[in-house]
Amino acid sequence: DAGVTQSPTHLIKTRGQQVTLRCSPKSGHDTVSWYQQALGQGPQFIFQYYEEEERQRGNFPDRFSGHQFPNYSSELNVNALLLGDSALYLCASSSTGRGYNEQFFGPGTRLTVL
Amino acid sequence: QKEVEQNSGPLSVPEGAIASLNCTYSDRGSQSFFWYRQYSGKSPELIMSIYSNGDKEDGRFTAQLNKASQYVSLLIRDSQPSDSATYLCAVNRASSNTGKLIFGQGTTLQVKP
């Protein structure tokens, strides 16, 4: 049973560029949440996707956008990158309607903005 | 006031001892509570979830929840050096299976041989 997968593992970009991160949820899961984790901090919620719609959004600017595909996989897009966007980006999958929102994380994408 | 607060540590315990990790939260509407373990350079791994007042045990781990005091804790019995990691407390307000997890900043645990 494959767990949550994310790609790429690492990414280096320069300020002003755009980036796309990808996530495939765990088998049987239909909900994907994205989090940003800065060094030494807990993850911060960016948004959550269910049925190809953004269901909830955290306190992040519109430069952060996402998408969910019919196969439940998801993308996170960040435009006009800032130095402060350097972080570990985590995707978490869960199953809406089953249990109490246990979310399982993928390995993450380490983004460095120079 | 932060929504979820944890002592950043480090908490240092000798091998074989009980490690006690604590977390407080501010939103009384919180319904579900989780503990994640995160090794350095890795992603968080779910180790315990708890939804009702009292204790929940799973192997060497016990989660304790007191909603009246807005307090959740994690006990690790017979601590091993492999338990050395950052432990993240996470809280979800929704009673259904939706919504964001709000994390504390994590407590670093060091288990010394």
Side-chain angles (χ1 to χ4, degrees):
Chain A
D1 179 21
V4 182
T5 61
Q6 290 187 246
S7 63
T9 306
H10 295 89
L11 207 49
I12 299 175
K13 292 286 188 179
T14 57
R15 281 178 297 173
Q17 285 190 310
Q18 178 263 346
V19 68
T20 297
L21 311 181
R22 296 177 175 81
C23 170
S24 290
K26 191 175 177 180
S27 177
H29 284 184
D30 55 12
T31 304
V32 173
S33 304
W34 287 92
Y35 293 82
Q36 179 195 67
Q37 187 176 25
L39 206 59
Q41 301 297 318
Q44 298 290 314
F45 177 79
I46 303 175
F47 40 53
Q48 185 180 81
Y49 277 84
Y50 171 66
E51 292 188 334
E52 302 180 49
E53 297 285 335
E54 182 183 289
R55 178 157 67 179
Q56 191 172 7
R57 188 178 183 92
N59 190 25
F60 278 80
D62 291 345
R63 298 187 297 109
F64 290 76
S65 63
H67 189 77
Q68 186 179 34
F69 299 94
N71 67 352
Y72 309 121
S73 67
S74 176
E75 288 182 350
L76 164 65
N77 300 291
V78 187
N79 294 322
L81 285 167
L82 303 174
L83 295 179
D85 295 331
S86 295
L88 179 67
Y89 287 84
L90 296 161
C91 165
S93 81
S94 56
S95 179
T96 292
R98 186 188 307 170
Y100 277 87
N101 197 25
E102 288 189 336
Q103 297 186 14
F104 298 88
F105 284 93
T109 295
R110 175 75 61 186
L111 172 65
T112 301
V113 182
L114 302 176
Chain B
Q1 181 187 9
K2 292 181 181 178
E3 293 184 82
V4 179
E5 294 206 54
Q6 296 180 256
N7 188 324
S8 60
L11 173 66
S12 183
V13 300
E15 184 175 356
I18 296 175
S20 178
L21 304 160
N22 304 314
C23 172
T24 59
Y25 59 94
S26 61
D27 187 347
R28 285 196 172 271
S30 299
Q31 296 286 337
S32 50
F33 308 86
F34 307 91
W35 283 99
Y36 288 82
R37 177 176 62 197
Q38 186 172 27
Y39 293 112
S40 181
K42 302 295 186 182
S43 64
E45 174 193 7
L46 179 64
I47 55 172
M48 288 290 285
S49 54
I50 187 166
Y51 314 112
S52 54
N53 281 328
D55 295 359
K56 179 182 178 182
E57 187 175 317
D58 183 1
R60 295 187 296 112
F61 298 101
T62 298
Q64 299 174 317
L65 175 61
N66 184 326
K67 289 186 178 180
S69 299
Q70 295 174 243
Y71 177 91
V72 58
S73 65
L74 178 71
L75 300 178
I76 306 174
R77 290 181 299 281
D78 188 25
S79 294
Q80 301 297 309
S82 59
D83 295 325
S84 298
T86 295
Y87 289 80
L88 296 161
C89 172
V91 171
N92 182 19
R93 181 172 187 179
S95 58
S96 63
N97 206 10
T98 65
K100 65 182 180 181
L101 294 180
I102 303 169
F103 285 84
Q105 69 177 61
T107 298
T108 299
L109 173 66
Q110 296 174 346
V111 181
K112 300 194 179 253

